[in-house]
């Protein structure tokens, strides 16, 4: 009987040489199912591509950052790339509301002392960060995979209040989107400096808002 060779992926899960990791396909299909069941609560039909993930992490200074917080980590396409580049001295905190996605994230990214996967709601962002000893202006970058403009208003308000409190003065809030440029004015109402990066290689094509200086 032929024996397939087994390699280790960057997230340290074994995969068979020459074929796509079966677990990744399972995770993507679960994501699709959740989208059909919950719609805007999931906000996307398919997890971010590696190009979208790279764009959302573009502003991070990996050597200087001390705390990076991911919001709405899903099944972990952005988390995976972030953890490949994360320095041992940097804390990484990922927050996700869906219990099944949290289980997947913990399976994929377990075992690093500077990484925490939190089952929680971004409406409780201030409490989540305070409970972990993060101080005012203690976060270098928020990396958001949320459909932020569609979050309930109260959740948005509490989340942005926490972002204003915790983001460093020169820190960045990035947010993926599947509707290029559409929310530019919306983000400009929240931040003084907003740029948009188009990401064509994503399903569907989209991009990333890079936001600085909360209003
Ligand atoms: C568009 S998906 C993006 C997932 C992943 N970051 C990616 O790029 O593929 C948005 C994610 O945010 C999560 N989410 C939505 N509302 C949330 C909330 N209030 N608090 C925490 N996570 C939330 C959803 O469960 C979903 O996993």
């Amino acid at each position: 009987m032929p024996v397939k060779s087994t390699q280790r992926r960057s997230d340290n899960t074994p995969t068979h040489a020459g074929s796509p990791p079966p677990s990744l396909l399972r995770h993507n299909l679960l994501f699709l199912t959740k989208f059909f069941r919950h719609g805007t609560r999931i906000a996307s039909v398919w997890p971010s591509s590696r190009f979208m993930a790279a764009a959302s992490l573009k502003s991070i200074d990996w050597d200087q950052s001390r705390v990076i917080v991911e919001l709405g980590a899903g099944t972990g396409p952005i988390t995976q790339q972030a953890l490949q580049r994360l320095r041992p001295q940097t804390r990484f905190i990922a927050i996700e509301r869906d219990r099944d996605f949290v289980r997947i994230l913990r399976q994929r990214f377990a075992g690093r002392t500077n990484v925490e996967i939190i089952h929680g709601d971004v409406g409780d962002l201030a409490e989540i960060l305070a409970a972990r000893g993060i101080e005012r202006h203690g976060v270098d970058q928020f990396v958001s995979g949320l459909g932020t403009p569609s979050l309930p208003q109260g959740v948005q308000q509490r989340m942005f209040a926490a972002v204003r409190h915790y983001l460093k003065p020169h820190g960045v809030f990035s947010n993926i989107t599947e509707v290029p440029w559409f929310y530019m004015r919306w983000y400009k109402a929240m931040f003084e400096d907003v740029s948009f990066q188009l990401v064509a290689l994503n399903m569907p094509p989209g991009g990333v808002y890079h936001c600085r200086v909360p209003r």
Side-chain angles (χ1 to χ4, degrees):
M1 200 199 232
V3 179
K4 279 191 180 173
S5 68
T6 301
Q7 298 175 328
R8 291 244 148 217
R9 292 179 357 172
S10 53
D11 60 6
N12 213 27
T13 54
T15 183
H16 297 293
S19 58
S23 56
L24 194 59
L25 186 61
R26 248 195 353 262
H27 299 165
N28 292 353
L29 291 174
L30 175 68
F31 198 94
L32 183 67
T33 312
K34 295 252 179 198
F35 174 76
F36 284 124
R37 218 175 281 157
H38 304 299
T40 54
R41 284 180 55 190
I42 299 296
S44 180
V45 283
W46 202 250
S48 289
S49 69
R50 64 194 162 96
F51 303 99
M52 183 73 103
S56 74
L57 299 169
K58 190 188 82 165
S59 328
I60 297 179
D61 180 340
W62 298 98
D63 289 325
Q64 298 300 322
S65 293
R66 290 292 167 269
V67 179
I68 298 168
V69 179
E70 184 181 3
L71 309 171
T75 52
I78 298 174
T79 324
Q80 180 182 3
Q81 277 194 31
L83 297 196
Q84 281 168 1
R85 304 185 64 186
L86 194 72
R87 305 286 190 264
Q89 72 275 11
T90 309
R91 278 178 85 174
F92 188 91
I93 299 170
I95 302 169
E96 170 54 52
R97 185 181 57 183
D98 185 281
R99 193 180 296 279
D100 296 324
F101 291 166
V102 169
R103 190 176 33 78
I104 289 170
L105 291 164
R106 288 186 176 151
Q107 276 167 8
R108 290 185 74 188
F109 308 117
R112 289 179 59 164
T113 51
N114 55 339
V115 176
E116 254 188 290
I117 310 287
I118 293 161
H119 181 214
D121 192 298
V122 295
D124 302 322
L125 183 59
E127 292 77 6
I128 290 170
L129 296 181
R132 280 155 186 84
I134 309 292
E135 295 184 344
R136 181 162 191 245
H137 294 162
V139 175
D140 295 271
Q141 171 124 6
F142 287 96
V143 182
S144 169
L146 299 161
T148 303
S150 337
L151 289 172
Q153 218 179 2
V155 174
Q156 274 178 27
Q157 279 167 359
R158 290 199 302 278
M159 185 185 93
F160 278 117
V163 168
R164 272 195 295 279
H165 182 82
Y166 283 102
L167 190 64
K168 284 189 177 167
H170 299 291
V172 179
F173 174 94
S174 70
N175 207 117
I176 64 171
T177 184
E178 293 178 349
V179 256
W181 290 289
F182 187 79
Y183 289 109
M184 195 68 181
R185 283 177 67 178
W186 194 87
Y187 282 103
K188 279 191 168 171
M190 305 283 178
F191 294 90
E192 284 181 20
D193 176 359
V194 181
S195 62
F196 181 75
Q197 181 183 3
L198 184 68
V199 181
L201 296 174
N202 190 68
M203 197 167 85
V208 180
Y209 293 97
H210 298 274
C211 310
R212 293 175 170 82
V213 195
R215 290 188 192 276

